[in-house]
Amino acid sequence: MKILISKGHLIDKENALDKIADILIEDDKIVKISENIDEYVEEEHTINADGCIVVPGLIDNHTHLYPFIKKGIPAESVCFSSGVTTVVDAGSLGCDNYEDVRNFLKYSRLTIKAYLNISSEGLAKLPEVEDLEPKNFKTEKIKNLLKKYPDELIGLKIRVSKNIVKEKGYESLKEAVKIAREAMVPIMVHSTNPPDSLDKMVNILNRGDIVTHMYQKSPFTILKNNKIYDAVLEARKRGVLFEAADARAHFSFEIAENALKENFYPDIIATDLTAFSMYQRPTAFNLLNQIAKYEYLGLSFSDIIKSCTTVPAKILGLSKNIGALKEGYQADIAIIKKENINVEFGDRPYSDMGKNIRKGKFIYNSMLTIKNGEIVYRNILF
């Protein structure tokens, strides 16, 4: 089957695309990108994208999915309707329950990868927190699962919030990093409300590891006297990645705005969506809302798209197939439209007395999503 996308504004910074052009898809591949493609395609498969932006299928590098956890998001419906064609579950499951649930992956058209929680049951018992006693980590079982499912499991996840690690401080993180190194995988670290300063945390990490919730505000942040910690800057030089996955309360305008003044931008922009934050204004809502919020904060649109396509594709080891508008690549494509409308962005829910609100002038609306050459979502007005 052929699909022709015509007259869209193609944006893909990695491939120096920023122009009006057509895309021809045949079966599951992008076969041609050019101005005015002269190719017969049935009318119902010819998409007039005039006035719209065409980008690689978005990659949400941080979510929690159902049925991995009960309060996870319904993956295909939420993702496809917001231009997301690849998604990562960030540690919902541990080594004791991953195999109980993973079977659903083979029934999903959405590409799904996962971080394995260092705690053996992951987040399955929430609101009861994870067991992060290092002596209880099932090291061999963890390493065996990572070896058994390398196409599914991409690394380890740990939450180092003070209420979870308690008096152990960063000892749990040190042991988790040790296991990650032995398994030769990265680790993603939830950094909200850490037990000690962020410089001590990032000094434990190395190339490929991810600090998520980078703009969180708690007693310890990436800033010291409104300047980025030297240790944080050094960590980035070593190859540690910083992710803005904001959910309902893992983000602060105060921290973000001061960090951005220092040109400390996210490597990755994601959502950390769960059933609690999915479609909830004025916070994360979905990945398109995140894109609009960070553009409001001053990041260029092309850099934002790179942070939720090119960069996560490389992290996932999929950059030779997705994350780009390129001939020969998998036909994962999002068509979106910039809607000029008054909106509110918040760093806490409306019900939170500590919230901060910023008033924006636009939002992005998903018009059509293509996954593996198949139209999986179309806006009723498009």
Side-chain angles (χ1 to χ4, degrees):
M1 185 181 75
K2 293 181 180 180
I3 297 175
L4 178 63
I5 301 171
S6 67
K7 302 177 183 177
H9 185 174
L10 279 53
I11 295 182
D12 177 3
K13 186 172 184 178
E14 187 77 355
N15 289 294
L17 275 178
D18 187 352
K19 64 179 183 179
I20 307 296
D22 299 347
I23 299 178
L24 180 64
I25 298 166
E26 189 167 351
D27 298 326
D28 63 346
K29 300 293 184 185
I30 297 172
V31 295
K32 190 174 183 180
I33 298 175
S34 181
E35 297 178 17
N36 301 315
I37 294 176
D38 185 15
E39 178 94 13
Y40 173 75
V41 176
E42 293 178 356
E43 185 175 354
E44 62 264 34
H45 296 141
T46 299
I47 310 299
N48 183 354
D50 187 23
C52 297
I53 303 167
V54 182
V55 298
L58 302 176
I59 301 172
D60 194 338
N61 196 63
H62 192 139
T63 65
H64 295 279
L65 305 178
Y66 180 86
F68 281 3
I69 54 171
K70 290 181 180 179
K71 289 298 182 178
I73 63 171
E76 286 196 6
S77 61
V78 173
C79 291
F80 288 155
S81 63
S82 54
V84 174
T85 53
T86 298
V87 70
V88 177
D89 182 278
S92 298
L93 298 172
C95 63
D96 280 354
N97 51 15
Y98 179 74
E99 290 191 299
D100 295 338
V101 185
R102 63 167 291 276
N103 192 52
F104 102 97
L105 296 175
K106 67 184 181 182
Y107 299 108
S108 178
R109 291 172 296 178
L110 185 69
T111 299
I112 299 173
K113 304 291 183 179
Y115 284 91
L116 189 69
N117 200 301
I118 193 68
S119 177
S120 59
E121 293 188 86
L123 306 180
K125 291 186 175 181
L126 286 177
E128 180 182 336
V129 299
E130 308 92 292
D131 176 9
L132 291 184
E133 174 58 56
K135 68 181 180 182
N136 293 335
F137 294 166
K138 297 181 179 180
T139 302
E140 292 307 312
K141 189 171 185 180
I142 289 168
K143 291 195 291 186
N144 287 339
L145 277 179
L146 290 167
K147 185 176 181 180
K148 186 175 181 180
Y149 301 114
D151 293 332
E152 300 171 14
L153 297 173
I154 56 175
L156 294 179
K157 170 74 180 296
I158 185 170
R159 299 199 301 164
V160 293
S161 299
K162 188 175 181 179
N163 66 305
I164 304 175
V165 298
K166 301 181 174 64
E167 73 285 347
K168 293 180 286 293
Y170 286 131
E171 292 307 308
S172 300
L173 174 60
K174 291 177 182 177
E175 182 61 26
V177 167
K178 179 183 176 184
I179 296 170
R181 298 295 171 262
E182 292 172 357
M184 294 185 290
V185 297
I187 189 165
M188 177 186 282
V189 184
H190 166 112
S191 65
T192 301
N193 192 27
D196 206 339
S197 64
L198 260 291
D199 61 329
K200 294 179 181 179
M201 187 188 82
V202 297
N203 283 337
I204 302 169
L205 306 178
N206 218 320
R207 179 170 296 277
D209 296 333
I210 298 175
V211 176
T212 191
H213 314 315
M214 62 184 288
Y215 296 135
Q216 61 84 26
K217 183 181 181 182
S218 60
F220 304 107
T221 76
I222 60 174
L223 300 174
K224 184 178 182 180
N225 299 323
N226 289 331
K227 301 291 183 181
I228 305 296
Y229 262 113
D230 287 342
V232 171
L233 296 173
E234 288 300 317
R236 172 163 275 179
K237 289 179 182 177
R238 290 198 307 275
V240 175
L241 301 167
F242 290 83
E243 177 183 77
D246 300 338
R248 290 182 301 167
H250 298 315
F251 169 81
S252 158
F253 278 114
E254 177 188 345
I255 302 301
E257 289 165 348
N258 281 304
L260 293 172
K261 288 177 184 176
E262 298 290 305
N263 297 318
F264 198 79
Y265 302 113
D267 295 297
I268 311 154
I269 294 176
T271 62
D272 191 19
L273 283 186
T274 65
F276 299 112
S277 53
M278 172 185 72
Y279 300 150
Q280 295 299 309
R281 293 188 175 94
T283 53
F285 196 90
N286 66 17
L287 190 53
L288 291 178
N289 193 68
Q290 285 284 86
I291 289 169
K293 180 178 75 179
Y294 280 96
E295 189 175 354
Y296 163 84
L297 286 168
L299 280 70
S300 74
F301 180 78
S302 61
D303 282 333
I304 295 168
I305 294 301
K306 182 178 178 179
S307 73
C308 46
T309 56
T310 305
V311 175
K314 290 178 179 177
I315 293 168
L316 300 176
L318 300 175
S319 60
K320 293 183 179 180
N321 199 35
I322 65 170
L325 297 177
K326 192 172 182 179
E327 292 176 3
Y329 269 49
Q330 185 170 301
D332 286 8
I333 296 172
I335 301 177
I336 62 178
K337 188 173 184 179
K338 192 172 191 176
E339 306 281 6
N340 294 313
I341 186 172
N342 292 331
V343 294
E344 291 187 333
F345 303 115
D347 58 9
R348 294 292 184 278
Y350 281 124
S351 60
D352 192 319
M353 295 298 292
K355 67 182 177 294
N356 293 283
I357 301 294
R358 301 290 187 270
K359 294 184 181 296
K361 297 293 186 182
F362 60 86
I363 199 73
Y364 287 100
N365 193 6
S366 179
M367 307 311 290
L368 185 137
T369 306
I370 295 173
K371 175 65 181 175
N372 281 329
E374 178 186 1
I375 296 173
V376 291
Y377 170 79
R378 187 166 191 169
N379 189 301
I380 195 169
L381 298 178
F382 182 65

